[in-house]
Amino acid sequence: MTTPCFEIIVYKVAGTTTADLERTRAQNRVKSFPGFLSWTPFSGIETDVDRVDLVAWATLEDAQAAARRVGHDPEFAAFRHTVRNIETMGHYIAGATVPPAAISASGVELGRFRLKEGVREEDMRAAYTTMVSSHLRCQAGWCAQHLIKLKDGVFVDLALAENPQYAEEICSSWHGNADCEAFLALIEPISMEFGTILETSAGNA
């Protein structure tokens, strides 16, 4: 596996609330780009308009191609509009082994459930897709969501977050959200557990 390329961007934003919303939307779009590994956003403590983004890519070429799209594609126009000025942007490789949490999810939520009597699987899946796309993927720290069907009619909701704390916070955000409540109305929960990814193995890309 090649050494990841880390892109570090330091910049200031024009308005914090809108900027953070558009950054989250940009993150969700970039996740589908070739070579994307992770995007860790930072906000200033001393100065609330300061922002730093640490984005990991499989190669420098992937990072550069993504930068061109973010800089020119219309779908990122709203995000670009929130950036007051870019102070520095560069690409780096780590001089030592990078902890897995820096380039991948480490928090896990695993929920098992069955369908309520009379509920069709296709209706549950439609509600699940709406819940993930409209709410869960917009939460801070969210990385991925998987719906799994086991042989005994049990389903598993597997959520991956940047760390265990984010995993629990994202789960808590279900309460009171209309899309989440619509999904929950279709299922009979069996169990829910939280955990931490300790090791990850993968084949070469």
Side-chain angles (χ1 to χ4, degrees), residues 88-160:
T88 182
M89 176 178 177
H91 299 95
Y92 309 85
I93 57 173
T97 301
V98 180
I103 59 173
S104 63
S106 66
V108 177
E109 175 268 319
L110 191 151
R112 295 162 55 89
F113 65 90
R114 294 181 183 275
L115 298 180
K116 284 186 176 179
E117 186 175 355
V119 172
R120 299 185 305 171
E121 179 181 327
E122 61 191 83
D123 293 334
M124 178 274 292
R125 293 178 64 178
Y128 183 87
T129 298
T130 298
M131 173 182 68
V132 173
S133 61
S134 299
H135 177 67
L136 297 180
R137 70 179 301 168
C138 298
Q139 303 306 302
W142 182 91
C143 292
Q145 201 96 9
H146 301 279
L147 179 62
I148 303 165
K149 184 177 182 180
L150 305 181
K151 291 183 178 180
D152 58 359
V154 172
F155 295 86
V156 176
D157 170 42
L158 174 62
L160 303 179

Side-chain angles (χ1 to χ4, degrees), residues 9-22:
I9 312 103
V10 181
Y11 59 102
K12 293 184 182 296
V13 296
T16 58
T17 301
T18 301
D20 290 341
L21 175 61
E22 292 302 331

Side-chain angles (χ1 to χ4, degrees), residues 38-57:
S38 70
W39 179 338
T40 305
F42 298 88
S43 298
I45 296 176
E46 290 87 358
T47 307
D48 64 355
V49 297
D50 287 347
R51 295 290 182 272
V52 177
D53 289 334
L54 170 62
V55 190
W57 298 94

